[in-house]
Amino acid sequence: MKYVKYGKCTCCGREYPAVPDLTNCQCGGILDIIYDYDGIRKAFTKDTLRERPDRSMWRYRELLPIEENTPPTPLRVGWSPLYEEPRLADMLDLKRLWVKDDGQNPTASLKDRASAMAVVKAREAGAKVIACSSTGNAASSLAGNAAAAGLETYIFVPSRAPKGKVAQLMTFGATVISVQGSYEETFALSKAAIEKWGWYNRNAAINPYLSEGKKTVAFEIMEQLDWQVPDYIAISVGDGCTIAGLWKGLKDLHAIGFIDRLPRLISAQAAGCCPLNRAIETGEPWKPMEENTLADSIAVGVPRNAHKALAAIRESNGLTVNVSDQEIMAAQGLLGRTCGVFGEPAGVTGTAGVKKLCEQGLLGREDTVVSVVTGNGLKDVANAIKACGEPITIPSDMDRLLEAFAERGVPVS
C-alpha cells in the first residue's frame, strides 16, 4: 500500500505491518492505520479528485488502506446524497442544516462502507469466508457485499434483531446464527468461532480497516459541501466505530490541507444504552449498560471501540446527547414529514439529538449542522408503524371517508 505506513495501537503505541488480516494489538488495544500525509499531499489534490468520474467511496483511494491494483467491490457503496433542509433548520432555529442519507447505500446503511472495505481486505488476504457479529446492519451489509464478491459469510446476530435485517441476511445467502442472548454474548460466540475456523474477521472491535471504510462518509460530506466545514456533525453511536471513523476522515482531510478547520462532533446515543456518553458526562471510565432501547443498531451495552470513540468526542470538543425512544420515534416522523427521508430508529438518533440540543439551547441560530442518517427505515417497519400510526381503513364509501376525516381531524382543501 503506497501511502500506508503501519498500524499503531491506540493504547500502547506498538506498531504493526499493515497486512490484510491485521487485528488487535497484543495488549488488546485497537489499531489505527497511519498514513504518509506528505506523500498524499503531493499526489492527491482537489483538482485530481474533481476530475474523477467514480462516484463511490473508492474515489478517495489515496486515503484508503488498499493496494493500488485492488479492484473495488461490485456493489456501488458511498456517494449518498447530502440534502440541505431549510424548512427543518427553521423549525429547529438553526442557521443551516444538512441531512446525509446513508440509508441509500446498497444494503441500506452506512455500514456498507465498512463491509466493502472488509471484502476488499479479505480478497487481498486470499480469504474465502468472512464472519462477524452484529445487531443487524453490519451483518446485512457484510452478507450483501460478500455475496456480490462471491465470498461465503457466517453471521451471528442477537435474537432481537429485526426481521427485516434477518430477511436480508437470508436472501444474501449467509449462514445466520441467531444467538439467544445479548450482543455481548453474540460477539463472544462469533469471536470463538472465527478463531476456531480461521475465517476473515469483520468485527469492528478487531479489524482496524473497518473505521477506514466508515471514514469515507466524512470525505463525501466535505466534498459535497465544497470543503466548507460545518460547525457540527451529528451521528448515532453504538459500539463507537462509526464516530471514530468519521473523526479519522475529518483529520485526514485536515492533515492534507483539504479543510482548514475541524468541526465539533455530536455523539447521540439512546438514553437506555449510552455507556460512551455517560463516560464523557461523568468523567469516569465507561461501564457496561443494559441494551434497553428499540434502536437495535446502537443497542451496544459493551462498546468495543470505546477508546477511539471517546477520543473522537474529546478531541473534537464534541457534545453528547442521550435521547429517549420516544424522542427517537418523534425524530423519525419529523425527518419523514419535512425532508422525505425515511430512517430506522438508530439511523435518526443523530437528528433526534440535534433537535434535543436545540431545545436545550446548546445549538441555535448561529450554528451550521450536518446530521447523518445511518440506516433506512425499511429495515424496521414495525417500529415505524408504531411511531407514525396505522392508515385509515374504511370501505369504499364517501360517507365513511368523511366520517374518518372528521374523527381524525384531517384537513381537506
Side-chain angles (χ1 to χ4, degrees):
M1 291 177 282
K2 188 173 182 179
Y3 299 111
V4 173
K5 297 170 72 174
Y6 46 80
K8 183 176 181 179
C9 180
T10 56
C11 293
C12 73
R14 182 168 178 168
E15 297 175 3
Y16 292 84
V19 294
D21 56 354
L22 191 62
T23 56
N24 281 358
C25 177
Q26 290 180 356
C27 77
I30 297 174
L31 305 186
D32 195 16
I33 304 302
I34 306 301
Y35 291 85
D36 172 14
Y37 291 123
D38 289 337
I40 294 172
R41 275 193 296 267
K42 294 173 184 176
F44 187 49
T45 67
K46 292 178 183 178
D47 288 338
T48 302
L49 185 61
R50 195 176 296 115
E51 293 170 0
R52 288 184 179 167
D54 180 15
R55 290 293 185 268
S56 76
M57 63 180 276
W58 306 111
R59 66 190 272 104
Y60 310 102
R61 290 180 74 96
E62 289 86 350
L63 288 166
L64 296 177
I66 58 176
E67 300 291 350
E68 290 183 275
N69 60 352
T70 296
T73 47
L75 299 182
R76 186 276 311 153
V77 177
W79 207 249
S80 60
L82 180 73
Y83 303 117
E84 183 165 8
E85 301 293 352
R87 284 200 301 142
L88 185 53
D90 285 343
M91 290 177 64
L92 299 179
D93 200 31
L94 288 169
K95 183 177 180 179
R96 297 181 79 179
L97 173 67
W98 295 266
V99 172
K100 176 73 165 168
D101 187 6
D102 238 41
Q104 293 198 33
N105 277 309
T107 74
S109 83
L110 185 149
K111 292 184 179 180
D112 277 327
R113 299 175 185 273
S115 291
M117 181 61 70
V119 167
V120 162
K121 299 309 292 184
R123 280 173 160 179
E124 290 181 357
K128 303 297 183 184
V129 180
I130 314 180
C132 77
S133 63
S134 168
T135 54
N137 280 335
S140 54
S141 71
L142 175 60
N145 281 277
L151 300 177
E152 188 178 356
T153 51
Y154 288 80
I155 310 292
F156 296 76
V157 297
S159 55
R160 61 175 165 77
K163 293 186 181 298
K165 296 177 182 180
V166 176
Q168 279 187 298
L169 296 174
M170 303 302 291
T171 301
F172 294 143
T175 298
V176 182
I177 302 92
S178 179
V179 180
Q180 297 173 350
S182 66
Y183 177 69
E184 171 68 7
E185 293 167 315
T186 304
F187 180 90
L189 182 59
S190 76
K191 184 174 183 291
I194 289 168
E195 289 174 353
K196 179 176 179 62
W197 284 291
W199 300 327
Y200 189 84
N201 196 330
R202 186 246 179 261
N203 281 324
I206 305 294
N207 190 327
Y209 294 119
L210 301 188
S211 284
E212 299 299 306
K214 289 186 175 183
K215 75 182 183 182
T216 58
V217 72
F219 299 163
E220 290 176 18
I221 288 170
M222 295 316 310
E223 186 178 3
Q224 289 167 326
L225 290 176
D226 196 26
W227 314 109
Q228 300 303 302
V229 181
D231 297 315
Y232 296 90
I233 300 181
I235 199 157
S236 55
V237 175
D239 70 358
C241 183
T242 301
I243 196 168
L246 173 65
W247 186 237
K248 176 67 178 299
L250 292 165
K251 289 200 298 182
D252 282 352
L253 294 177
H254 190 258
I256 65 172
F258 275 35
I259 57 176
D260 58 5
R261 66 184 181 92
L262 292 165
R264 298 174 69 183
L265 300 184
I266 296 174
S267 169
Q269 289 205 282
C273 190
C274 56
L276 295 176
N277 282 1
R278 186 173 64 178
I280 295 289
E281 292 155 5
T282 63
E284 299 176 356
W286 72 269
K287 300 174 184 176
M289 287 187 70
E290 292 185 11
E291 298 166 358
N292 186 22
T293 175
L294 58 79
D296 64 283
S297 292
I298 55 171
V300 182
V302 182
R304 296 290 176 174
N305 259 285
H307 188 85
K308 282 187 178 182
L310 293 172
I313 299 166
R314 289 176 176 135
E315 287 176 15
S316 74
N317 189 27
L319 301 178
T320 59
V321 57
N322 304 315
V323 287
S324 67
D325 283 358
Q326 292 73 27
E327 289 168 322
I328 291 171
M329 303 279 265
Q332 187 178 41
L334 180 65
L335 268 173
R337 292 190 305 274
T338 61
C339 309
V341 172
F342 187 21
E344 66 170 320
V348 305
T349 299
T351 304
V354 170
K355 182 175 183 290
K356 188 167 187 173
L357 290 172
C358 289
E359 293 167 349
Q360 294 173 340
L362 296 175
L363 295 177
R365 178 51 61 180
E366 301 305 313
D367 296 316
T368 58
V369 181
V370 173
S371 183
V372 183
V373 174
T374 56
N376 190 278
L378 291 173
K379 287 174 169 283
D380 190 357
V381 174
N383 276 314
I385 292 173
K386 288 179 184 177
C388 300
E390 297 283 352
I392 295 172
T393 303
I394 57 169
S396 179
D397 183 292
M398 178 56 76
D399 290 337
R400 295 291 298 274
L401 177 63
L402 294 173
E403 290 173 7
F405 280 176
E407 289 171 0
R408 294 202 181 193
V410 177
V412 181
S413 57

